[in-house]
Amino acid sequence: MKGCTNPMMISMDEIEFRTSLLDWFHCARRPMPWRETSDPYQIWVSEVMLQQTQVATVIDYFNRFIRAFPDIETLARARDQDVLKLWEGLGYYSRARNLHNAARELASQGLNTVPDTPGEFMKLPGVGPYTCAAVQSIAYNHALAVVDGNVKRVLARLFEMEIPVNDSCVHQEFARNAERLLDRGEPAMFNQAMMELGALVCRPTSPLCDECPVRQWCNALAHGTVAEFPRRKEKKVIPTRHHAAAAVLENGQLLVIQRRPHGFLGGMWELPGGSVKKNESPDKACIRTVKAQTGLSVETVSHLARVTHTYSHFRLELDVFAAQAPANGVVDLNGPEAHQWIRWSQIDTLPFHKAIHKCFPSLKPLM
Ligand code: SF4
């Protein structure tokens, strides 16, 4: 079995490797709004959005977010709902909540700028090693190597690394190799170049080795093993969860509830409901869970839709029912943070998570 690093690869060639990579990057880099700025705050926002999300998706979100919250102070003053609304659809909402809380923490110290000390920056909510390395190197040129999915793939092929890219326990192995390669004179450009190489050339499938600026140092290419790297641990099969929810309508208004501010989908809005028990029918589960959450004894009128949505750790199957609440029923929340009765014209004023968006076509004709 090959070792995870190959000492032959980087020795006298380090400088050439870096020069070749940086020369390529200067010509090949894609224009992106966060590459047109040196504002550390904007770079921070972009790096948070880019975690788990494709560049093409992030661009519009980034532009809208920066227009609404152009600096730390403005973000710190914003309402939670307004921040989540601009994140709606990007998923992983804890990223938005952490960014918001971090801005508040800086503003409370009278700061309107991103700390330019990695240690200080790491103290902020949501700032882990990846965000720290990316922001501190790109914004302030600190010599920290960035290791994201694209970089791992490049490293795995360059060094024929036997460890799986999707095993967080061995992240340090990748970090060590990334540190060895890092151009300490130009960490901002070098890190971006490595990420761009993974995105454009050393692609997950059909890498463009003939066009690769570092092909002469690539062990996988030399040994004809490119297709075998990166190694992967078999993914666990994610479970399916069955939920039921109610579209409770009163005078043309729909009852919506807000999830608690922390945890999974924290702060987002949805329809009342909950999980379907084993051997329970979805409509019974709908009635039971709406009662438990809102105190309302609803009756289901019709089945409106079944929507599915896959999150990182489970697949949701959601049965949605049109439901009637008793006349003069009073909402008495147990669990949710808040509730509102809204008209269809207000649907865009609140942040809903993706599964609920998928219900909208069935809800609209009712309202
Ligand atoms: Fe990736 Fe091919 Fe370049 Fe090796 S030569 S780093 S496999 S694109």
Side-chain angles (χ1 to χ4, degrees), residues 264-318:
F264 182 62
L265 301 176
M268 300 301 284
W269 289 77
E270 61 187 8
L271 300 175
S275 47
V276 179
K277 289 181 183 168
K278 205 174 165 197
N279 299 326
E280 187 181 32
S281 66
D283 64 325
K284 290 265 177 346
C286 177
I287 291 166
R288 174 180 58 78
T289 54
V290 171
K291 172 80 178 164
Q293 275 188 328
T294 68
L296 292 176
S297 301
V298 297
E299 279 176 26
T300 54
V301 178
S302 62
H303 183 256
L304 286 178
R306 168 172 272 208
V307 300
T308 59
H309 189 70
T310 303
Y311 296 98
S312 58
H313 54 300
F314 72 97
R315 178 174 178 275
L316 176 70
E317 285 181 4
L318 179 66

Side-chain angles (χ1 to χ4, degrees), residues 2-46:
K2 296 176 188 88
C4 64
T5 58
N6 182 342
M8 297 290 288
M9 189 252 163
I10 297 296
S11 54
M12 298 301 287
D13 292 325
E14 281 175 7
I15 294 170
E16 269 184 73
F17 175 95
R18 292 167 188 150
T19 306
S20 184
L21 179 66
L22 290 176
D23 286 351
W24 167 83
F25 181 60
H26 285 302
C27 301
R29 70 203 290 250
R30 293 167 292 174
M32 295 174 194
W34 48 89
R35 285 186 176 160
E36 313 302 319
T37 177
S38 57
D39 179 355
Y41 163 71
Q42 293 196 29
I43 292 164
W44 181 16
V45 171
S46 73

Side-chain angles (χ1 to χ4, degrees), residues 28-310:
R29 70 203 290 250
R30 293 167 292 174
M32 295 174 194
W34 48 89
R35 285 186 176 160
E36 313 302 319
T37 177
S38 57
D39 179 355
Y41 163 71
Q42 293 196 29
I43 292 164
W44 181 16
V45 171
S46 73
E47 286 301 334
V48 175
M49 287 186 169
L50 286 164
Q51 289 165 37
Q52 322 279 353
T53 313
Q54 301 285 325
V55 167
T57 307
V58 165
I59 289 176
D60 283 348
Y61 279 92
F62 173 84
N63 286 333
R64 282 196 297 267
F65 197 91
I66 295 299
R67 263 199 306 277
F69 313 122
D71 54 31
I72 290 170
E73 274 179 5
T74 319
L75 177 59
R77 282 198 306 270
R79 295 187 318 157
D80 295 350
Q81 290 299 286
D82 296 337
V83 175
L84 284 174
K85 185 69 194 167
L86 284 173
W87 212 274
E88 186 183 40
L90 263 186
Y92 299 96
Y93 297 98
S94 59
R95 296 181 297 174
R97 295 195 305 269
N98 283 331
L99 184 63
H100 195 193
N101 286 333
R104 284 175 168 158
E105 224 169 283
L106 290 171
S108 73
Q109 298 165 32
L111 300 171
N112 191 25
T113 182
V114 178
D116 81 347
T117 318
E120 286 303 307
F121 188 48
M122 280 276 276
K123 289 180 188 165
L124 294 171
V127 179
Y130 170 80
T131 310
C132 182
V135 175
Q136 293 290 318
S137 66
I138 296 170
Y140 295 124
N141 231 17
H142 283 292
L144 298 169
V146 170
V147 185
D148 71 350
N150 283 326
V151 172
K152 278 186 174 177
R153 186 169 55 256
V154 174
L155 293 171
R157 289 170 175 164
L158 280 175
F159 294 103
E160 290 186 300
M161 294 175 74
E162 291 290 345
I163 52 179
V165 279
N166 55 341
D167 183 351
S168 54
C169 301
V170 294
H171 182 85
Q172 277 312 319
E173 292 287 328
F174 288 99
R176 264 196 290 279
N177 277 339
E179 287 289 338
R180 286 175 58 197
L181 289 179
L182 179 67
D183 185 333
R184 291 173 186 280
E186 286 211 61
M189 285 298 139
F190 183 87
N191 280 332
Q192 292 179 80
M194 283 289 279
M195 291 190 273
E196 197 78 328
L197 185 71
L200 298 183
V201 178
C202 197
R203 307 181 305 196
T205 53
S206 314
L208 305 173
C209 299
D210 289 346
E211 298 171 24
C212 179
V214 297
R215 62 188 172 280
Q216 70 185 97
W217 297 281
C218 181
N219 283 288
L221 183 65
H223 300 140
T225 59
V226 171
E228 296 169 32
F229 292 92
R231 304 286 200 222
R232 293 195 160 273
K233 251 194 347 189
E234 242 179 64
K235 270 192 183 167
K236 277 193 208 147
V237 179
I238 57 169
T240 296
R241 295 184 191 168
H242 193 181
H243 281 217
V248 185
L249 285 149
E250 203 173 83
N251 303 323
Q253 292 187 308
L254 176 72
L255 176 63
V256 291
I257 56 170
Q258 186 187 26
R259 295 174 70 92
R260 285 272 159 101
H262 306 293
F264 182 62
L265 301 176
M268 300 301 284
W269 289 77
E270 61 187 8
L271 300 175
S275 47
V276 179
K277 289 181 183 168
K278 205 174 165 197
N279 299 326
E280 187 181 32
S281 66
D283 64 325
K284 290 265 177 346
C286 177
I287 291 166
R288 174 180 58 78
T289 54
V290 171
K291 172 80 178 164
Q293 275 188 328
T294 68
L296 292 176
S297 301
V298 297
E299 279 176 26
T300 54
V301 178
S302 62
H303 183 256
L304 286 178
R306 168 172 272 208
V307 300
T308 59
H309 189 70
T310 303

